[in-house]
Amino acid sequence: MSQQRWHPFATPESLRQAIADKLCAYANACITERGVFTLVLAGGETPRTIYAMLRHCQTDWQCWQVYFGDERCLPEGDPQRNDSMACSSWLDHVPLPTQNIHRIPADKGAAFAVPHYAQLLAGVPLFDLVLLGLGEDAHTASLFPGHDWGALAGSPAVLAVSGAPKPPTERITLSAQRLGMSRAVWFIVSGKNKQEALRRWRAGEPIPASAVNSTDSVDIFFDCAL
Ligand code: 6PG
């Protein structure tokens, strides 16, 4: 298991600003080192303001390759989709080439989207950074308690999810194995309602979030007292 590093913040604002600054600096360091920055985005509401802050990152947007950790099976452009949120808050406002934004074609259904995205990811052995959120029930991406998280070695890279407890029920997600194929994994956790899930994680309970490792450590940035 990767080493976990827990980073408390006093306020949601200081958490967001720190992540936006750190992400921009890390992206530029990756670009300097390897000429590319491969990033997997988290969905949900928490990252929205951080994504908006990233519009101001001074960087070479041509070098960014953006992927998604999970997607909701809704029509393209639906405001509840994770890619719609990332585009409206951030990606539509910076000169990041459209072909570098690798959406999960969740609108086409799992039978198409799962092998399609798995094939795309086969060309990306290691991400530079995976961003993840945490649900009150300790889910992350669309890996829910009681479902298959794809945590074992040899698990498929992409999973279809049916009957998710958080709507919409039909989703596509990267497995815990594939999310962990990254130089860095950052969980961004905001709100008092996440406190219990964080406590369970810290206590070593086997929750979906703790099934995600990285080639180095896993960083957890949070703004609630533990
Ligand atoms: C999604 C997610 C999910 C999310 C958490 C936290 O598509 O819903 O990727 O894992 O990150 O549920 O969501 P909030 O940030 O909205 O609390």
Side-chain angles (χ1 to χ4, degrees), residues 42-47 70 72 82 133-135 139-141 166 171 194:
E45 273 306 304
T46 307
D70 69 326
R72 300 142 180 219
N82 291 332
L134 184 72
H139 76 258
T140 192
K166 179 180 182 182
R171 292 157 169 262
K194 308 287 174 71

